[in-house]
Amino acid sequence: MPLAMAKCLLAQAGQEGLARQAHFHVMGEPLLYPDLTEAVRIARRHGMEAWVTTNGSLLTPPLLEELQDAGLSHLTISLQTPDARTFDLRGSQLLSFEQYRERLVGTLRPFLSQRTATHLSICFLANPLRRFLAPGAPKMQVAESGRELRAHMERWVALLFEGTAYNEQIPRLLARTRKAGLLREGRVPLSEHLDFRVRILGNWAGHFEGPIAPARLGYCPGLSENFGVLWNGEYVICCADYDGKTVLAKFPETPIRDYLSRPAVQEIARGFRRYRVVHPHCRQCLGDRHLASSIFRQLGSIIYFKIYRRLLDVNGEEREAA
């Protein structure tokens, strides 16, 4: 996205109180964006938190320092492939797992001793109900048992904390990771500004590759909690819609407030409030290949977003919103 467009979007969103947070990705790698640091600075200038989610492969100490100086509120490293076996599934020809691991460790260990306003989360993926949530996930080797998930966390505690000022606290930190489980998208606090998080894997991506029993019922927080803008200014209603399947207007022809006020946009949001799925893209995403599993996903979306996440809020978990 041209920086001038990003500046106008962030100014509108912040000055008009349309967003509390600016997340610099829509299914992309934000560290590829040459103007990321300046975009973070602009978001903060207009009163919004600035969040970045990255796989960490391009993260370096100077870049992290630049982002912190710009006012980055939250950095999430999505550690989807936390060991050599899973990393090989990426098919990377330019970066080995050892290089990836050392790059992250070399960047994050100095971060532990800093006084900073930036919070860091390292995310691990879990797939507790493989048959229903993500049947294609075995190829990804996502953690499918609590033991496997906790083993990944213990390994990364050692990588990050051994030999630092936190060395004597490692037994206590390891004890915290042992409370992590697959069925709870939990947070494991490790230091004042670093934690591990567990995210449950979904299989929405595979739903756009073949025939689907479309959803009629269900819930998604899209539009009520977040919306996206692609690189060319196209608005999307879905945080996973990286290729514009849900475009209903474009910036700067349509200001943000006017876009959100459009009848077609309001109809989609109103539908979700009534647990009705309106847009064809959403019906495909919340459906499934077989009628029984489609019904399971539709009901599951309501339980997950309206009950499960509300319980997390009661227990003091942070809610990410755009």
Side-chain angles (χ1 to χ4, degrees):
M1 178 182 290
L3 183 60
M5 181 185 292
K7 184 175 182 178
C8 291
L9 280 162
L10 293 167
Q12 280 191 21
Q15 291 173 1
E16 298 188 32
L18 299 175
R20 292 185 296 106
Q21 300 170 0
H23 290 241
F24 292 98
H25 70 284
V26 179
M27 295 302 294
E29 174 49 59
L31 299 192
L32 289 169
Y33 184 46
D35 296 312
L36 179 61
T37 300
E38 184 59 24
V40 166
R41 186 174 289 111
I42 293 168
R44 298 293 290 148
R45 188 182 305 145
H46 291 291
M48 291 179 289
E49 297 177 9
W51 289 53
V52 167
T53 297
T54 172
N55 63 31
S57 61
L58 298 175
L59 194 62
T60 62
L63 177 55
L64 180 54
E65 185 176 346
E66 287 180 14
L67 290 169
Q68 289 176 269
D69 290 343
L72 183 66
S73 308
H74 202 121
L75 176 67
T76 298
I77 296 177
S78 187
L79 199 62
Q80 297 181 17
T81 53
D83 60 14
R85 179 173 61 95
T86 55
F87 188 85
D88 285 344
L89 298 168
R90 289 183 179 270
S92 174
Q93 302 297 316
L94 302 177
L95 191 69
S96 69
F97 173 72
E98 289 72 22
Q99 291 172 313
Y100 174 67
R101 179 189 62 202
E102 295 308 313
R103 183 169 298 178
L104 283 180
V105 171
T107 300
L108 299 183
R109 282 169 69 99
F111 176 86
L112 297 174
S113 59
Q114 295 176 1
R115 298 179 64 86
T116 177
T118 301
H119 193 87
L120 172 65
S121 293
I122 298 178
C123 267
F124 296 81
L125 284 180
N127 187 24
L129 300 174
R130 173 168 58 86
R131 181 178 176 185
F132 298 104
L133 293 178
K139 294 181 293 185
M140 298 176 61
Q141 301 294 328
V142 175
E144 294 181 0
S145 72
R147 179 180 298 177
E148 186 179 3
L149 173 67
R150 290 186 289 272
H152 287 320
M153 288 186 172
E154 290 175 5
R155 192 177 304 114
W156 279 88
V157 164
L159 287 169
L160 293 172
F161 290 95
E162 283 185 355
T164 71
Y166 290 87
N167 199 68
E168 294 183 359
Q169 300 183 36
I170 288 179
R172 181 167 57 86
L173 301 181
L174 291 174
R176 292 179 181 177
T177 67
R178 295 185 190 112
K179 298 178 181 179
L182 291 184
L183 289 173
R184 183 174 184 270
E185 289 197 342
R187 172 177 174 265
V188 180
L190 298 174
S191 73
E192 183 181 355
H193 46 269
L194 182 145
D195 58 40
F196 286 170
R197 300 205 176 200
V198 182
R199 289 288 182 265
I200 295 176
L201 176 71
N203 67 334
W204 59 267
H207 290 195
F208 300 96
E209 298 174 356
I212 289 291
R216 300 293 177 178
L217 300 173
Y219 184 81
C220 176
L223 288 180
S224 63
E225 290 185 13
N226 59 73
F227 65 94
V229 188
L230 303 184
W231 68 273
N232 58 0
E234 292 179 336
Y235 296 105
V236 290
I237 67 174
C238 175
C239 62
D241 182 13
Y242 62 90
D243 54 356
K245 293 292 195 305
T246 62
V247 173
L248 296 172
K250 186 175 181 179
F251 185 87
E253 291 90 336
T254 304
I256 299 176
R257 185 177 292 277
D258 291 351
Y259 162 70
L260 295 174
S261 301
R262 284 196 165 196
V265 175
Q266 287 296 310
E267 182 185 6
I268 296 168
R270 186 165 50 249
F272 278 129
R273 288 196 296 271
R274 298 172 179 173
Y275 308 117
R276 299 291 187 269
V277 185
V278 174
H279 196 280
H281 179 88
C282 306
R283 290 179 174 176
Q284 186 89 354
C285 182
L286 291 175
D288 212 337
R289 288 181 172 81
H290 305 288
L291 180 59
S293 54
S294 178
I295 293 172
F296 178 89
R297 282 178 58 84
Q298 292 173 59
L299 296 176
S301 68
I302 298 172
I303 294 170
Y304 174 76
F305 285 115
K306 300 301 288 186
I307 300 176
Y308 176 76
R309 292 210 328 175
R310 193 168 292 174
L311 288 174
L312 288 186
D313 285 347
V314 169
N315 290 325
E317 296 290 347
E318 292 182 10
R319 173 76 69 84
E320 296 180 19

